[in-house]
Amino acid sequence: MTVADLLPLDDLEPVDLAAVLQAAELARRVDRKYLVPASDAAELVGALAPSHRVLQIGGRRSTTYRSTYLDTDDLRLCRDHLQGRRLRWKARSRLYVEDRLCRFEVKVKGARGETVKHVIETDPESYGGYGERERGFVEGVVGSSLRTAHADLKPVLEVGYSRATLVDLDGGTRLTVDHGVAGRPTGTGPVWRTGTVAFDHDRVIVETKGESRPGPADRMLAELGHRPLSLSKYATAAALLGEGVADNAVRWLVGRGVRLHDDLPARAAS
């Protein structure tokens, strides 16, 4: 099942990727994340249909993502998120499965709450790796201004899910809906507990991406009783599976949309 099976995406007019990037590239933005029942997300999408379009690629209205995150052996990037450090960042290799497109991304959280994303295109065959080009890119973005030594990074955990993207071409904002989120260690680096962290199939992550002021989707979600969460797919999985990581900030999610499994396939997004 993909996210397109849960939402009334057929009610929205389609839009191609070029138009989305032209109207709402949002390399610098404020992200707000919500963990909501799929039924509420469907109601939200239906309400946004008059003003939003859905990204369609190759006839599809959803795409499978695989993201391999990098961190240090002591999971410093994860810890920085859990501790709520004002200046923090993360690095990942991302594969858009159906399209065989791959990118390497560094996301920096600034002091004003903005997220700035830096991206380079990479070969799909290099997905999940951390070679000289990726190292140079991270060094160029992060430099010596943030805590973690980028030279110590390595691939540590993969997260997979199905995503639908909605965009308001006039307002220049967009939102994503992710379903089937599951994270599992890659088998390198830190000492991990056995298992996989998976979000329940009747829950989705809605993420709005826009300006500092909440947009229409945020207001509709508030009317449905939802508030933004400090929710990172990577940090949630890494905290719950990493030995010695204080997981108090995410432990409350277990049983409330997130579950621990020890019997899922080796690859979260296979």
Side-chain angles (χ1 to χ4, degrees):
M1 177 182 292
T2 71
V3 67
D5 299 315
L6 297 174
L7 305 177
L9 298 179
D10 289 342
D11 294 346
L12 281 73
E13 293 294 324
V15 64
D16 61 25
L17 182 58
V20 171
L21 294 179
Q22 181 178 4
E25 185 172 6
L26 297 177
R28 181 183 296 270
R29 70 208 189 196
V30 173
D31 298 338
R32 297 178 177 87
K33 297 180 182 179
Y34 306 81
L35 181 61
V36 306
S39 58
D40 284 1
E43 183 174 345
L44 172 69
V45 169
L48 293 175
S51 58
H52 286 63
R53 297 189 182 189
V54 60
L55 175 62
Q56 180 169 296
I57 302 175
R60 302 184 328 271
R61 296 194 168 196
S62 66
T63 297
T64 304
Y65 283 54
R66 284 171 58 182
S67 298
T68 293
Y69 289 83
L70 289 84
D71 212 327
T72 60
D73 282 340
D74 64 351
L75 298 176
R76 177 59 61 81
L77 298 183
C78 172
R79 295 172 190 269
D80 283 352
H81 175 86
L82 296 175
Q83 293 168 9
R85 295 190 179 277
R86 295 181 66 194
L87 297 176
R88 59 184 186 267
W89 61 283
K90 59 186 175 184
R92 67 191 177 203
S93 174
R94 168 164 286 179
L95 180 67
Y96 301 80
V97 175
E98 292 88 351
D99 304 304
R100 294 300 297 168
L101 298 176
C102 191
R103 311 199 310 180
F104 191 88
E105 303 176 347
V106 178
K107 294 177 68 175
V108 180
K109 190 80 167 183
R112 298 180 179 179
E114 289 183 326
T115 298
V116 183
K117 183 162 69 173
H118 307 265
V119 179
I120 56 172
E121 303 295 327
T122 57
D123 191 310
E125 299 303 320
S126 70
Y127 166 69
Y130 189 50
E132 290 185 7
R133 184 170 182 237
E134 290 83 4
R135 291 177 186 274
F137 178 63
V138 172
E139 182 177 359
V141 172
V142 176
S144 59
S145 60
L146 294 177
R147 292 163 40 92
T148 305
H150 46 74
D152 296 332
L153 295 181
K154 61 185 64 175
V156 296
L157 187 140
E158 183 182 60
V159 177
Y161 49 91
S162 170
R163 167 171 287 185
T165 299
L166 279 63
V167 60
D168 178 356
L169 295 177
D170 294 328
T173 61
R174 69 174 186 256
L175 66 92
T176 57
V177 185
D178 298 337
H179 175 256
V181 176
R184 189 180 182 93
T186 62
T188 62
V191 176
W192 300 104
R193 303 182 181 97
T194 301
T196 298
V197 171
F199 285 67
D200 290 345
H201 283 288
D202 63 350
R203 293 287 190 277
V204 297
I205 297 175
V206 176
E207 183 172 355
T208 64
K209 309 165 193 286
E211 304 298 331
S212 57
R213 180 177 298 179
D218 299 291
R219 294 192 290 272
M220 291 181 192
L221 286 165
E223 291 173 1
L224 291 171
H226 301 294
R227 298 292 182 269
L229 303 173
S230 179
L231 178 62
S232 162
K233 303 179 191 72
Y234 165 65
T236 298
L240 293 174
L241 294 174
E243 290 285 0
V245 179
D247 61 6
N248 294 347
V250 297
R251 173 60 61 174
W252 68 272
L253 289 167
V254 177
R256 301 182 185 180
V258 175
R259 299 194 182 276
L260 293 168
H261 303 272
D262 59 8
D263 57 351
L264 291 188
R267 281 199 173 273
S270 297

